[in-house]
Amino acid sequence: MEITRTASYKVWESRERAYLFARWSFEPANRAVVFVHGLMSSWDVWVPFRLLVERPEMASADVFYFDYKSLGTTIPRASRRFREALEGLLDGASPAFIHESLPPGRPKPTYATIDIVSHSLGAVVARTALTELASAISGEKDLAQPPAWKVDQLLLAPALLGSKLPWLMKYVGTEALLSAIQFVRNGGVSAVMDLKEGSDLLKRLENHVKDRIKESPVAAKACGLRVARTAHGEDDHVVIQNQYARDANYKLRDGNHFTIVPKAVAVDSDFIFGRAR
């Protein structure tokens, strides 16, 4: 038997063109699943997951889609907006919880678990936000005990080691030209440039994650900095593969970088949907 859900509604937005769409459960929810799209994409790329989020195992979970202008911002800006949206879900202060789309009579949720499913550039945005969140909640010392919530991450072809971007260079030309075009069109250097292999941003992120795991392990664990699962495609032309093996349960998957639906769903749906808590 499938569960009944509402349609998807835009329930939060920032000044910098970032949005959160919600697909509420009619049942009281103690879990949230948040999808974060990749480069040159938008929140509705996850629409093929619709039937999976209707499964009975998801009856106590709300589903959110974070949308940001991946070609019109930088990774630090996008990650700040994602952290802002995420903190609202964690502390109960999100405007989403007073949105008219929340089913009548349903109590405001208090999430014990938030699962973040992110693809490509979205993994860098989410990882950056969670690292900053771990720093914020731990302060100068680590947490004495875990908070009342926990975050897990599922990364689909994450661009955490950078990107060769051959498919962009083929049509646009040099990196300098791409940077100039994005600067003029969007008022700033695009997140595309942040993904250059060996960029300072990506190096800082990796070092920051290592520092949090070492210096504030309780906060790092709560914020999901030890990634739950990483999936790559064998014919992945964008992400540098066979190198991102930082997590013990890393495993190369069949498929292409952009084939996240339905093949990756078949592989990873047990993680996302209905796994024991």
Side-chain angles (χ1 to χ4, degrees), residues 32-158:
V33 178
V34 185
F35 291 94
V36 186
H37 66 77
L39 184 66
M40 298 180 67
S41 187
S42 62
W43 73 276
D44 55 3
V45 71
W46 302 106
V47 168
F49 280 78
R50 182 179 60 83
L51 294 179
L52 287 173
V53 300
E54 307 276 339
R55 285 167 48 169
E57 296 89 342
M58 294 288 287
S60 61
D62 290 327
V63 179
F64 297 93
Y65 307 91
F66 180 70
D67 191 47
Y68 63 103
K69 306 299 181 182
S70 61
L71 287 180
T73 187
T74 61
I75 291 174
R77 286 181 190 161
S79 64
R80 283 194 294 271
R81 300 291 77 80
F82 182 61
R83 175 185 163 188
E84 182 182 344
L86 186 62
E87 285 178 327
L89 299 181
L90 291 170
D91 63 18
S94 176
F97 296 150
I98 58 174
H99 193 268
E100 61 183 3
S101 61
L102 187 70
R106 220 203 81 173
K108 182 175 73 173
T110 300
Y111 301 123
T113 302
I114 293 186
D115 290 319
I116 298 175
V117 184
S118 57
H119 174 236
S120 189
L121 169 63
V124 183
V125 170
R127 189 88 155 151
T128 303
L130 291 172
T131 306
E132 294 171 350
L133 178 61
S135 296
I137 66 173
S138 62
E140 296 182 0
K141 297 182 179 180
D142 194 16
L143 298 176
Q145 59 185 15
W149 47 263
K150 184 180 185 301
V151 175
D152 280 328
Q153 292 186 78
L154 168 61
L155 310 181
L156 301 178

Side-chain angles (χ1 to χ4, degrees), residues 4 7 9 19 26 60-61 65 89 97 135 149 219 222 224 250 255 263 270:
T4 303
Y9 295 91
Y19 310 95
F26 281 100
S60 61
Y65 307 91
L89 299 181
F97 296 150
S135 296
W149 47 263
Y250 167 86
K263 183 172 290 187
D270 287 342

Side-chain angles (χ1 to χ4, degrees), residues 163-179:
S163 170
K164 295 182 182 297
L165 297 176
W167 54 281
L168 277 180
M169 301 309 171
K170 177 180 178 181
Y171 294 102
V172 179
T174 66
E175 179 179 312
L177 177 58
L178 176 59
S179 179

Side-chain angles (χ1 to χ4, degrees), residues 226-247:
R226 292 189 178 278
V227 178
R229 187 175 304 176
T230 305
H232 281 268
E234 288 184 348
D235 189 25
D236 192 333
H237 299 296
V238 177
V239 175
I240 308 171
Q241 64 177 48
N242 291 331
Q243 293 185 37
Y244 186 67
R246 303 291 188 263
D247 300 294

